[in-house]
Amino acid sequence: ANQAMKNKLKILHAVTMAVVFILMVVALKAAFDSHNYANPPITNMYTLHSWVGLMAAILFALQWVSGLLMFLFPIAGPGLRAKFLPFHQYYGSAIFALVIAAALMGLLEKALFMGIPKYKEKSGSQRS
C-alpha cells in the first residue's frame, strides 16, 4: 500500500511539473514575442530579470528531465537514486527560489519602466 501511494505521488509530481514546464514555454514565447513584435522592437535579454528568468527556466528543464529519468522511469539503480534524491530536493527548492527572485525582479522592472509616480525617487531612507 505504501509503495502504491508513493508511485501515485511520483506521477502526480511529474504531471504537475509537466504542466509547469508547458506554461513556462508558453510564458517564454510570450515574453520574447512581446519584445520582438513591439513597434519599435525591444531588445531581448538586457536586464538581470531576463537572465535570472532564463537561468531558472533552463535549470528547471534540466531538473525535470533528470527527475523523470532517475525516479519515474528509473535508468539508475536504487543506490544511485538514493544518492541523487537529496540533490534533487535541494536543487528543486533552489530553482523555486530563483523563480521567485526572477518574478520579483520582473515586477520591479515593470514598475520602474512604467514610471509609476515617485517610485524612482523612493529610497527607503528616512529623512528629517
Side-chain angles (χ1 to χ4, degrees):
N2 192 22
Q3 189 61 35
M5 178 59 91
K6 192 174 179 181
N7 286 336
K8 284 181 186 177
L9 288 175
K10 276 185 185 180
I11 292 168
L12 178 63
H13 182 65
V15 168
T16 303
M17 295 300 110
V19 170
V20 170
F21 181 82
I22 291 166
L23 292 174
M24 175 189 74
V25 170
V26 170
L28 285 171
K29 174 82 169 108
F32 280 99
D33 283 354
S34 73
H35 283 201
N36 295 336
Y37 296 130
N39 193 9
I42 301 168
T43 305
N44 289 308
M45 305 306 295
Y46 68 99
T47 64
L48 184 61
H49 160 70
S50 300
W51 287 102
V52 170
L54 186 62
M55 182 59 63
I58 291 168
L59 290 173
F60 174 76
L62 292 172
Q63 172 84 339
W64 184 62
V65 169
S66 69
L68 283 176
L69 294 176
M70 285 292 226
F71 302 112
L72 195 59
F73 308 113
I75 61 170
L80 187 55
R81 285 198 312 265
K83 289 179 183 175
F84 184 73
L85 182 60
F87 293 99
H88 183 72
Q89 292 170 330
Y90 171 78
Y91 284 110
S93 298
I95 292 165
F96 183 68
L98 198 59
V99 168
I100 298 298
L104 291 174
M105 281 187 263
L107 291 171
L108 175 62
E109 179 182 297
K110 187 69 172 175
L112 292 172
F113 288 168
M114 286 179 59
I116 293 175
K118 302 219 181 228
Y119 191 85
K120 290 180 182 179
E121 291 79 25
K122 292 188 186 285
S123 67
S125 61
Q126 300 293 328
R127 298 175 193 228
S128 357

